[in-house]
Amino acid sequence: MMNRFRKWLYKPKRSDPQLLAQFYYADEELNQVAAELDSLDGRKEPQRCTLLVSQFRSCQDNVLNIINQIMEECIPQDRAPRDFCVKFPEEIRHDNLAGQLWFGAECLAAGSIIMNRELESMAMRPLAKELTRSLEDVRGTLRDQALRDLNTYTEKMREALRRFDVLFAEFELSYVSAMVPVKSPREYYVQQEVIVLFCETVERALDFGYLTQDMIDDYEPALMFTIPRLAIVWVSHVSG
């Protein structure tokens, strides 16, 4: 009864631009969609179920986006490193990846096998369970603070966000690595070395007049064959 009274008395205005207020209503919407999904018989209403799942995923994206903004404001110096993201294929790097990871963690935590990868799913399940528990803790902590003081980030909030950020980064690397080929550190290093070699080759070829700036500016197709060959010749010359 007291919780309902406090919610009625102190809940922020929907128009409030502060991040905790935005989170409160984004989380409310997510809970409403989740409740409707739980009460729906997907076999009797498949189209409605598909629509709600899409809406649910969109709500998850929105909640995570606001949490990320809060972390940037609340613990900017304590964020978990994500240098590993440069190793992900381009098609993986999109705006709703975080929402997909949340959905994947919940599926794994519930016992599902992802993409017929049974061994990988079993290996990730303990981390997925830990992540979903941490996220629930973060959501509860942020909701509670939104009903107390929109202008204060407590140490309890900071600690919950730090733990969640570390777990989410760890799960992101594990999940994406299981779903798609991810370059090893050695492969990524070699790729960077080749890029540097090709850049230096172009500079030398321009100096010696083997290429012209117009060929580069016009994306001359012959360059695709010329630059690697020149690089090979240069490396052979230096090695010799």
Side-chain angles (χ1 to χ4, degrees), residues 13-202:
K13 295 180 179 179
R14 187 175 289 273
S15 58
D16 196 316
Q18 294 185 85
L19 288 175
L20 281 174
Q22 291 181 38
F23 170 82
Y24 181 86
Y25 285 101
D27 198 64
E28 285 272 289
E29 184 180 1
L30 175 59
N31 287 333
Q32 290 170 7
V33 175
E36 189 172 352
L37 260 177
D38 287 341
S39 65
L40 187 71
D41 188 340
R43 291 169 297 184
K44 294 181 180 179
E45 300 181 73
Q47 291 183 332
R48 179 60 181 165
C49 183
T50 300
L51 179 64
L52 282 175
V53 168
S54 176
Q55 189 177 351
F56 181 74
R57 297 280 294 275
S58 177
C59 288
Q60 285 183 316
D61 285 336
N62 191 31
V63 166
L64 283 177
N65 179 52
I66 298 172
I67 290 176
N68 188 63
Q69 292 181 62
I70 290 174
M71 287 193 290
E72 285 296 322
E73 192 173 282
C74 181
I75 54 168
Q77 306 303 321
D78 298 329
R79 297 299 306 272
R82 282 181 169 78
D83 297 342
F84 57 80
C85 290
V86 299
K87 300 190 294 182
F88 292 171
E90 283 296 329
E91 63 271 18
I92 294 298
R93 303 182 206 176
H94 47 70
D95 292 338
N96 62 345
L97 174 59
Q100 288 188 11
L101 292 170
W102 184 359
F103 189 77
E106 289 189 328
C107 290
L108 283 168
S112 298
I113 301 298
I114 299 212
M115 298 287 288
N116 297 319
R117 289 174 167 81
E118 185 172 357
L119 292 178
E120 293 90 338
S121 296
M122 290 175 62
M124 285 189 289
R125 185 160 292 119
L127 177 58
K129 289 181 177 180
E130 196 173 2
L131 174 61
T132 53
R133 284 195 297 267
S134 175
L135 184 51
E136 282 304 306
D137 182 38
V138 165
R139 291 172 64 194
T141 303
L142 294 183
R143 279 197 304 266
D144 183 67
Q145 188 60 28
L147 294 173
R148 294 177 183 273
D149 185 353
L150 296 174
N151 300 301
T152 301
Y153 291 151
T154 65
E155 186 54 39
K156 181 181 178 181
M157 276 180 56
R158 296 177 198 276
E159 184 56 37
L161 289 169
R162 288 189 197 101
R163 175 165 176 73
F164 164 70
D165 196 30
V166 170
L167 290 172
F168 197 88
E170 186 178 346
F171 183 76
E172 181 177 3
L173 178 57
S174 299
Y175 187 90
V176 174
S177 298
M179 296 302 109
V180 297
V182 174
K183 289 184 177 69
S184 68
R186 173 62 184 167
E187 289 172 325
Y188 183 71
Y189 174 77
V190 170
Q191 182 186 40
Q192 296 301 306
E193 288 287 287
V194 170
I195 291 171
V196 171
L197 174 62
F198 281 10
C199 289
E200 292 177 346
T201 299
V202 170

Side-chain angles (χ1 to χ4, degrees), residues 202-216:
V202 170
E203 289 181 3
R204 292 190 183 97
L206 285 170
D207 290 341
F208 286 110
Y210 299 148
L211 305 175
T212 67
Q213 189 63 48
D214 288 341
M215 292 172 66
I216 297 172

